Amino acid sequence: MKPLTTTRELYDRYVIPTYGRFDLRLARGQGTEVWDEAGKRYLDFGAGIAVTSIGHCHPRVVATMQQQIATLVHTSNLYYTRPQGELAERLVRLVGKPGKVFFCNSGAEANEALYKLARKFGNESAPPPPKHTVGEWVTTATPRFEIITMLGSFHGRTLAGIAATGQEKVKKGFEPAVAGFCHVPFNDGEALAAAVREPGTVAVLLEPVQGESGIKPSDATFLRLARQLCDEHGLLLMFDEVQCGLGRTGDWVGAKTLAPDVMPDAMSWAKGIAGGFPLGAIWVSDRAVTLADGSAKPLCDLLGPGTHGTTFGGTPLVCAGASEVLAVIEDEGLLANARDLGAYAKQTLDALASPLIKETRGVGLMIGIELVPDFAERVPACPVAKAPCLFVVDRLHEAGLLTIPSGTHAVRWLPPLNVKRSEIDEAASILKNVLTSLA
Ligand SMILES: Cc1ncc(COP(=O)(O)O)c(C=O)c1O
């Protein structure tokens, strides 16, 4: 057999083709720049889909992880390790409200922990359910397990994640759906209020800024109503902050940028938390829950020993790295940078006044550039079968800028939180040249 030589050939032959990948073979990165195998430089405004939150290979993170990798990488969660405890303490401090943290490996897994928290809450805080026997198993199923999520949301690719996600395209071919999720239109308070069923509903889950559907922020009034409904009906309010959390919007809690007075009962993180190493987590408030027998317990202690777990979640290596990433964000004032340069980026994009851009939407350094609906008619070079955002992202690659497509018409800018003004100017100039050449 002829030996395979190129990276592309290796993928084509050996990697399960779940992704429609762009034909870029990236080899190394530094700060906001990456280089491909041929040595071509790109400005990285995708940051690995909002993951490399302080850029590639930040010297402080490199040094910390090099030291930790030579000290202790993994022990399992059967034991205590200092880096996990210290990271949990830091995260609770950054949230600014008492609670506890559970560590896992990804955003979808963090959301799984939220679904399980909600079901446990539904089981234990509800009146004692009737017991009935199924085969030799005694079940204590209660009717209180439905989680309301939003249309247009994205919560991950596990079976429960696609059931929670409010987009048909991720569910197709994987039926039957995991039970216990229903969707309402995003930012529609009346629909949310109408969807709450007693005693079936147990929680509301939402992304304060919808990321995968093109950067769509929640209205402050919608967040407040969601909090109010949850309080009135005894439900958990849960935020999926996998994409918008930990600084990207300019606040540690993304929702606070939109409605500073609204806090959830629990929220999930992943993506930028460890600057590129796989880590997911949930934070759960310590608010008291009245149990079926009348006693009370903090919500953050409901998932007790044996109820949930993971072999890898929260290794000393990844936790040491994540603590350093978060320390860099604090020490270098990157929340303020996300706010200031996010506003500057939006203003710069608006000033392009391109006839091919319908609008730009932004919260901190989550920026969505929505192309005009009739883009394909205006740009004959755009193949009819191709989503316009993919076409534009391809052209931006050729011009040396990495960005992230969303849906059919949105292009996302998700640069690292330490992006510089000059880099925003360069990215805007590349986008301007590409759109001008197309128009
Ligand atoms: C809001 C949100 N939740 C969950 C996920 C899933 O995260 P992961 O891909 O790490 O499983 C994503 C990924 O894009 C996301 O944007």
Side-chain angles (χ1 to χ4, degrees):
M1 191 176 69
K2 181 175 158 281
L4 299 172
T5 49
T6 69
T7 303
R8 175 67 191 262
E9 282 173 327
L10 291 170
Y11 269 65
D12 288 349
R13 187 164 176 121
Y14 296 114
V15 178
I16 295 174
T18 56
Y19 289 94
R21 291 173 205 268
F22 294 105
D23 195 13
L24 290 189
R25 303 125 203 229
L26 300 177
R28 71 187 175 89
Q30 187 64 55
T32 311
E33 297 169 301
V34 287
W35 287 264
D36 69 14
E37 289 178 354
K40 178 175 164 180
R41 168 197 178 263
Y42 301 82
L43 198 53
D44 187 0
F45 268 44
I49 324 184
V51 167
T52 50
S53 43
I54 54 169
H56 298 278
C57 303
H58 192 289
R60 276 180 58 180
V61 178
V62 171
T64 299
M65 295 198 76
Q66 277 175 340
Q67 179 170 354
Q68 187 63 46
I69 208 166
T71 307
L72 188 67
V73 172
H74 174 83
T75 61
S76 91
N77 280 304
L78 296 176
Y79 313 107
Y80 297 95
T81 56
R82 187 88 193 163
Q84 184 177 130
E86 286 181 348
L87 177 59
E89 178 195 38
R90 181 184 289 273
L91 286 164
V92 171
R93 173 172 63 78
L94 296 178
V95 167
K97 205 173 165 226
K100 290 184 180 170
V101 176
F102 166 82
F103 293 105
C104 52
N105 308 282
S106 69
E109 244 188 273
N111 287 334
E112 287 285 336
L114 291 185
Y115 315 140
K116 284 183 73 174
L117 173 76
R119 288 213 175 180
K120 200 85 167 62
F121 174 76
N123 271 282
E124 299 203 348
S125 67
K131 290 198 172 164
H132 51 269
T133 308
V134 180
E136 60 183 16
W137 300 95
V138 175
T139 71
T140 56
T142 79
R144 215 165 113 83
F145 64 86
E146 191 163 80
I147 301 175
I148 304 174
T149 72
M150 306 298 131
L151 287 173
S153 60
F154 183 76
H155 298 296
R157 296 285 190 163
T158 56
L159 276 180
I162 62 176
T165 293
Q167 301 186 50
E168 281 313 304
K169 68 179 184 200
V170 305
K171 305 172 194 274
K172 249 177 133 185
F174 298 105
E175 300 83 359
V178 171
F181 295 94
C182 76
H183 311 300
V184 297
F186 187 42
N187 276 332
D188 184 336
E190 265 178 41
L192 180 60
V196 175
R197 294 187 308 114
E198 280 192 14
T201 308
V202 76
V204 173
L205 170 68
L206 61 89
E207 291 167 84
V209 183
Q210 289 192 341
E212 294 305 297
S213 58
I215 314 298
K216 301 204 175 128
S218 306
D219 297 335
T221 48
F222 183 69
L223 290 176
R224 290 190 184 111
L225 179 76
R227 180 69 270 176
Q228 186 191 329
L229 284 170
C230 287
D231 291 343
E232 279 169 15
H233 295 274
L235 317 177
L236 296 184
L237 179 61
M238 309 195 298
F239 288 165
D240 177 340
E241 295 234 346
V242 165
Q243 191 162 151
C244 72
L246 297 177
R248 185 138 290 277
T249 63
D251 282 288
W252 293 112
V253 177
K256 279 197 179 170
T257 311
L258 306 163
D261 50 317
V262 177
M263 275 298 283
D265 300 301
M267 68 186 138
S268 55
W269 296 301
K271 290 200 179 277
I273 188 172
F277 285 81
L279 179 67
I282 61 168
W283 166 88
V284 182
S285 136
D286 74 345
R287 66 165 252 209
V289 175
T290 307
L291 303 182
D293 64 4
S295 64
K297 202 177 199 180
L299 181 66
C300 57
D301 288 340
L302 270 195
L303 290 176
T307 59
H308 197 46
T310 153
T311 299
F312 286 115
T315 65
L317 178 63
V318 77
C319 288
S323 283
E324 197 62 28
V325 167
L326 299 172
V328 167
I329 296 176
E330 288 196 276
D331 297 347
E332 296 186 5
L334 299 185
L335 296 188
N337 201 57
R339 280 194 295 272
D340 296 348
L341 289 198
Y344 177 69
K346 179 153 182 345
Q347 195 187 321
T348 308
L349 286 167
D350 287 340
L352 296 184
S354 167
L356 295 178
I357 296 179
K358 180 177 164 227
E359 64 170 359
T360 57
R361 297 179 288 267
V363 186
L365 286 170
M366 293 183 88
I367 296 165
I369 304 162
E370 182 85 24
L371 302 169
V372 288
D374 60 348
F375 183 94
E377 286 106 79
R378 291 201 201 192
V379 179
C382 178
V384 182
K386 191 161 187 157
C389 63
L390 292 178
F391 176 77
V392 169
V393 166
D394 261 335
R395 289 299 169 98
L396 292 173
H397 288 165
E398 284 163 21
L401 176 66
L402 303 189
T403 59
I404 309 289
S406 262
T408 56
H409 282 71
V411 175
R412 271 176 293 170
W413 275 12
L414 301 162
L417 307 183
N418 52 1
V419 67
K420 300 187 195 77
R421 190 174 278 252
S422 59
E423 291 166 336
I424 288 177
D425 291 339
E426 185 186 345
S429 150
I430 294 173
L431 178 65
K432 182 178 175 192
N433 290 342
V434 164
L435 292 179
T436 307
S437 74
L438 295 173

